[in-house]
Amino acid sequence: MNFVAMDFETANQKASSACSLALALVENSRIVDTFYTLINPQTHFNSRNIAIHHINPRMVQTAPTFDLVWPHIKALFNEDHLVVAHNAPFDNRVLKETLAFYQLQAAPYWSLDTVRTSRKFYPEFPNHKLNTVAQALKIKLEHHHHALDDTLACAEILLTTQAQVGTEALKKMTRIIQ
């Protein structure tokens, strides 16, 4: 299976306030590359968000803004790539709103949500939060709410699910994001 796993963290409740991003490139069902960056969101940080992901304004002072990050990752977001996230509606919204903030555009791309796949294929789990699903599937998740660790766990969740239920069952759950 080939896909890109993605996770954003945000500075506040606004979807356009991305302050970190991680991607994991999966080819032939193996993680072959990763990308992680802090992002200067050019907005205020909410103390609740800081308490969750531990990223603060000082940490992103010299980080690139998203418009400088986008040219390096843009090629992964098109109809030829499946983009996977745990709670994909959130991450897709962050991408869309952050792109809009910088007046950038993305091509349509395929998306798959591992919250939805875990609910469908593992209804017996007590909940379908990333850390719960990772633990139940015996997948390492070192620092929950660190974008790279969350991205790697998401990728492994999908690979484990694929091994158990097959690719065709997962393909039926993809959606196009415009």
Side-chain angles (χ1 to χ4, degrees):
M1 185 169 211
N2 299 328
F3 61 91
V4 177
M6 162 178 75
D7 186 66
F8 278 102
E9 299 297 335
T10 57
N12 58 51
Q13 69 283 1
K14 291 184 181 177
S16 62
S17 70
C19 64
S20 74
L21 166 67
L23 303 170
L25 182 62
V26 177
E27 293 178 352
N28 299 316
S29 299
R30 290 191 39 223
I31 297 171
V32 296
D33 200 5
T34 61
F35 172 83
Y36 173 78
T37 187
L38 290 174
I39 299 168
N40 185 333
Q42 299 184 297
T43 189
H44 74 283
F45 276 73
N46 180 300
S47 60
R48 181 179 180 275
N49 292 56
I50 294 170
I52 292 170
H53 53 56
H54 307 292
I55 300 169
N56 62 52
R58 180 184 46 77
M59 295 169 70
V60 300
Q61 279 179 333
T62 60
T65 53
F66 189 78
D67 58 323
L68 298 176
V69 173
W70 183 241
H72 301 282
I73 63 171
K74 168 181 173 173
L76 298 173
F77 295 86
N78 60 56
E79 288 188 35
D80 294 332
H81 288 96
L82 172 62
V83 179
V84 178
H86 199 79
N87 192 14
F90 170 80
D91 294 287
N92 289 328
R93 188 173 72 250
V94 171
L95 178 60
K96 181 179 181 176
E97 294 297 322
T98 303
L99 287 168
F101 179 82
Y102 289 102
Q103 299 178 339
L104 300 167
Q105 289 187 307
Y109 61 91
W110 290 98
S111 178
L112 183 61
D113 181 3
T114 55
V115 170
R116 285 185 65 230
T117 61
S118 67
R119 284 182 180 143
K120 178 171 178 70
F121 300 114
Y122 309 110
E124 70 279 9
F125 290 178
N127 64 58
H128 296 88
K129 296 177 183 178
L130 181 67
N131 56 331
T132 304
V133 176
Q135 182 178 12
L137 295 176
K138 297 180 179 18
I139 292 168
K140 180 182 175 184
L141 176 58
E142 190 130 347
H143 301 295
H144 188 27
H145 295 297
H146 182 282
L148 185 56
D149 288 351
D150 287 358
T151 296
L152 292 170
C154 174
E156 293 293 348
I157 287 168
L158 187 59
L159 291 171
T160 299
T161 305
Q162 177 207 12
Q164 293 177 359
V165 305
T167 304
E168 290 306 311
L170 294 170
K171 281 184 181 178
K172 293 176 185 174
M173 298 182 73
T174 61
R175 296 178 178 185
I176 193 79
I177 302 298
Q178 306 233 8

